[in-house]
Structure formats: C-alpha cells, structure tokens
Amino acid sequence: MVTIADVARHAGVAVSTVSYVLSGKRAISASTRERVLASVRSLGYHPNAGARALASKRANVIALVLPLRSGMHLPVLMQFATAVVTTARQFDHDVLLMTADEGPDGLRRIAASAMVDGIVLMDVEMHDDRVPLLRNLERPSVLIGFPADPAGLTCVDLDFHRAGEACVEHLAGLGHRRIALLGAPAVVYDRDTGFAHRTRAGFAEAARRRGIAATAQPCEESFDAVVRELTGLLARHPDLTALVVHNEAAVGQVLAALPALGRRVPDEMSVVAICPDEVAERANPPLTSVLIPAEEVGRQAVALLMRKLADRSVPEGTLLPPRLTLRASSASPPARSAPPPASIPSPPIGTEGPPARASASAARAASGPATGAGPQPS
C-alpha cells in the first residue's frame, strides 16, 4: 500500500510538505504543490481517513438530517440532498444521511459521537422540538428552513412569505379578483411546517393588501382528492379565476382535472405554481411559477456550515428572494356572465381512491384568516 512517505520520496519533498499540501494547513508554493499532487495521482495514494480524522480531530463528515415524513415530495427533497452532498464533496466532506424521525434524541446521538463535524437539518417546523437543543449543541448546525424563533440559529431558505406574495401580485396585475391557494397536504400544516405556513401567510397578506377575495386550503395529492377540492372550490366560488398551487405532487393533477371540470388553462383558469423549474417546464401548459431553488439552498447551507467549522462569522438568517418566471398558464381573467357547472370526471386508470377526509381542525388551521378581503373559509 502506498504511504505518505512514498509520495514524499517520489516528489522529492519532506513528509511534512506532503501533509501540508493535502491538509491545506500551511501555504505551499504552487510548483511544489503541483509536484506533490502529481505524485499523489501517479502513485494512487489515498490518505487514511481514520488517521486523518485523529490528526485533525475532524471526521470530514457532516450529517444531513432529513426525516422522511408523510406529505413530503421525495423528488424535491432529493434535489436538496443532492446539492448538500455535491457541495460537501467540494469541501472534502462526506455526508451521513439520517432519515429516521428521531427528533432531539437523534441529534444527541450523533453529537455525542465522533461521527460528524456538523449538522444540516431539513423539514423545520415553526415550533420545532429540535431547536432548543441546537442552540446548545457542541456541533455546529445549519437549518434549511426557519422556525418561528430563529434567534441563535443559522438558517437558510427561499423566502416563502415573499413567494406567496409574488404569486398574488402577478395574478392581481392580470386583473384577477378571486383566487385560491391549494397548499401542501393537511398533515404538513398539522405538523406546523414552516415553509407551508409562510407561503400561506404571504398569500393572505398580499390578497388583503390588493383587496382580492381569496381562500387557502390544503390539498392532498391523488387525482380524486384534487378533483374533490376543485369541485368544492368552484361550487362555493363560481367566480374563481386563478389558482396558486404549492404542492409539487398535485400540480399535474390540477392541470389534468381543470379541463374536465370545464375550466381551460389559462383561458378560463390561470394557474401559478411554487415548484422546481423542471416541474413547471414539463407541465402542459408550461406553468408560470416561482422557483424552489433547491440547489442554491443546499449549496448555501453547506457553505455556511463550513464557515462555522472554520470559526468564521455567518449571518443568522439567509432568505433567498423569489423569482417568478412567466410561462403559458397565466393570463387575464375571462369575461363571463355565468361560469359553467362543475362536473366530476372519472379518475385516470391507476389512480388511488379518495383519501380519508382531513379533520375539521386541520382544515380550519390551513384556511387562514376569515376577515376582510383576505382568505375566506372554504
């Protein structure tokens, strides 16, 4: 097996010089560094990870705590995870993926071990029971998401409040006067998940500010559930002309159901989504959307954690501004005397049957304020 001494002899330098080149702990001239790295490549040398960790007191591993919970859209989560993994690799770190929903106990377990140098957490709730522990944990951490009180934490995310506002402002500018938000599944609101609440709050505030009649409600992901939600919305609000969809798994079902319910997109119903660009671009018609910047959020989360590991200062909160891209799914509202009646289409072959109805308390919690011109109970 090739050793560091073999590399030093091959490059004609001291063993300590090879160590400094590989660790980056001391400045080495560019010519010497290149000669050492050429010897490393030529000999196929691989530093022993265990020995390197003992010498540096670092594991060169970070944990990504991503509990797999109901109501989460796995393809989007994997975009975040991929960004964390690829960025960590650029900093010579591997990633330990933790998917069990262990709460504070899981954090205590990994913090008490020498397995990881720092922690990135996802699926942050407004009143997350992991937050008090994070403030006192020896291992540095970064949250992808914001709890209700982010003081003493390092957080990064899309500004979902402004994302909800941006969707409303776009539709108001087109002339829509009654709109609705189809949000995440009810269980996501029941868990008090931060991004879902902030999107709904921004949607509600912008609607009140613009004097637009609006309603907000959770939406399950199956075709039957989407049809049921849309049928109810159109029955209660026949003057509804635009939807904001913050549910990546349901947005395709929404576009499939609307024509069958007598509402063509965008001629008779505008649709704006908060989703990754690839979801918006593949839709038919392509969706006007606010991008969920999973790659940028994941990259910034790791960069912030690396700064903390190097004892460098970091901002407590980083909110990425929303970017709305115009596509073919939004237009001015139609001029109509009476809307067509909503009929229930047959679900496509292979879809699930109707899921259980959400509890009344969950529906009330997700419907937002019921005063003024803002979101009304649906």
Side-chain angles (χ1 to χ4, degrees):
M1 183 174 67
V2 178
T3 67
I4 192 170
D6 296 327
V7 174
R9 280 193 297 271
H10 189 274
V13 299
V15 169
S16 59
T17 301
V18 177
S19 177
Y20 292 143
V21 168
L22 296 177
S23 67
K25 289 185 177 180
R26 182 173 297 182
I28 301 295
S29 70
S31 59
T32 301
R33 182 176 182 276
E34 183 52 42
R35 191 163 74 250
V36 169
L37 293 178
S39 295
V40 167
R41 290 190 295 268
S42 175
L43 298 176
Y45 174 65
H46 298 284
N48 181 278
R52 183 175 59 188
L54 286 172
S56 65
K57 297 183 180 180
R58 289 280 182 85
N60 277 46
V61 177
I62 63 173
L64 174 59
V65 181
L66 174 54
L68 297 182
R69 298 163 169 168
S70 59
M72 301 173 74
H73 190 51
L74 193 58
V76 175
L77 294 179
M78 289 303 101
Q79 290 185 13
F80 284 97
T82 299
V84 168
V85 169
T86 55
T87 306
R89 192 63 260 149
Q90 294 171 14
F91 287 94
D92 196 29
H93 277 65
D94 292 313
V95 175
L96 173 65
L97 180 61
M98 300 183 62
T99 59
D101 192 1
E102 299 178 286
D105 290 340
L107 296 182
R108 290 190 188 94
R109 178 167 57 82
I110 60 173
S113 72
M115 296 170 61
V116 301
D117 300 324
I119 304 167
V120 175
L121 289 94
M122 290 186 61
D123 201 40
V124 178
E125 298 166 359
M126 295 294 285
H127 303 283
D128 202 305
D129 61 0
R130 299 172 295 180
V131 162
L133 177 63
L134 287 173
R135 290 193 175 102
N136 300 304
L137 210 59
E138 290 184 2
R139 297 285 187 271
S141 62
V142 174
L143 287 74
I144 295 180
F146 281 74
D149 179 12
L153 304 169
T154 305
C155 306
V156 58
D157 207 355
L158 171 67
D159 190 336
F160 280 100
H161 190 283
R162 288 179 60 191
E165 289 182 321
C167 294
V168 174
E169 293 293 341
H170 169 64
L171 294 170
L174 291 172
H176 293 273
R177 304 305 301 163
R178 178 171 291 276
I179 63 177
L181 169 68
L182 293 179
V187 66
V188 175
Y189 293 97
D190 292 343
R191 279 201 306 267
D192 216 20
T193 307
F195 71 84
H197 282 279
R198 287 191 166 87
T199 300
R200 190 178 64 191
F203 173 88
E205 285 187 23
R208 283 194 292 270
R209 187 168 61 243
R210 295 297 295 254
I212 295 174
T215 185
Q217 62 189 62
C219 184
E220 305 308 313
E221 299 169 351
S222 73
F223 183 81
D224 288 342
V226 168
V227 168
R228 186 165 59 247
E229 297 291 352
L230 290 175
T231 302
L233 271 174
L234 294 173
R236 293 188 298 275
H237 308 295
D239 56 340
L240 182 71
T241 59
L243 295 171
V244 176
V245 183
H246 187 198
N247 185 327
E248 299 91 344
V251 69
Q253 313 282 32
V254 170
L255 291 176
L258 281 170
L261 290 167
R263 297 295 180 96
R264 291 172 297 154
V265 178
D267 299 338
E268 297 167 299
M269 183 71 70
S270 287
V271 178
V272 179
I274 301 174
C275 65
D277 275 346
E278 52 267 32
V279 173
E281 291 165 355
R282 288 199 310 264
N284 184 22
L287 283 161
T288 294
S289 68
V290 171
L291 169 69
I292 293 180
E295 183 177 345
E296 178 63 19
V297 170
R299 184 165 54 243
Q300 290 214 24
V302 174
L304 287 166
L305 185 59
M306 293 301 152
R307 289 180 65 90
K308 295 182 78 169
L309 285 169
D311 294 323
R312 299 168 64 187
S313 63
V314 297
E316 285 195 352
T318 303
L319 283 169
L320 304 185
R323 175 173 62 82
L324 188 144
T325 300
L326 300 179
R327 297 189 180 90
S329 65
S330 58
S332 298
R336 66 168 79 225
S337 55
S343 59
I344 302 178
S346 300
I349 295 173
T351 57
E352 301 175 0
R357 293 181 63 85
S359 68
S361 61
R364 284 194 298 271
S367 63
T371 59
Q376 304 297 315
S378 50

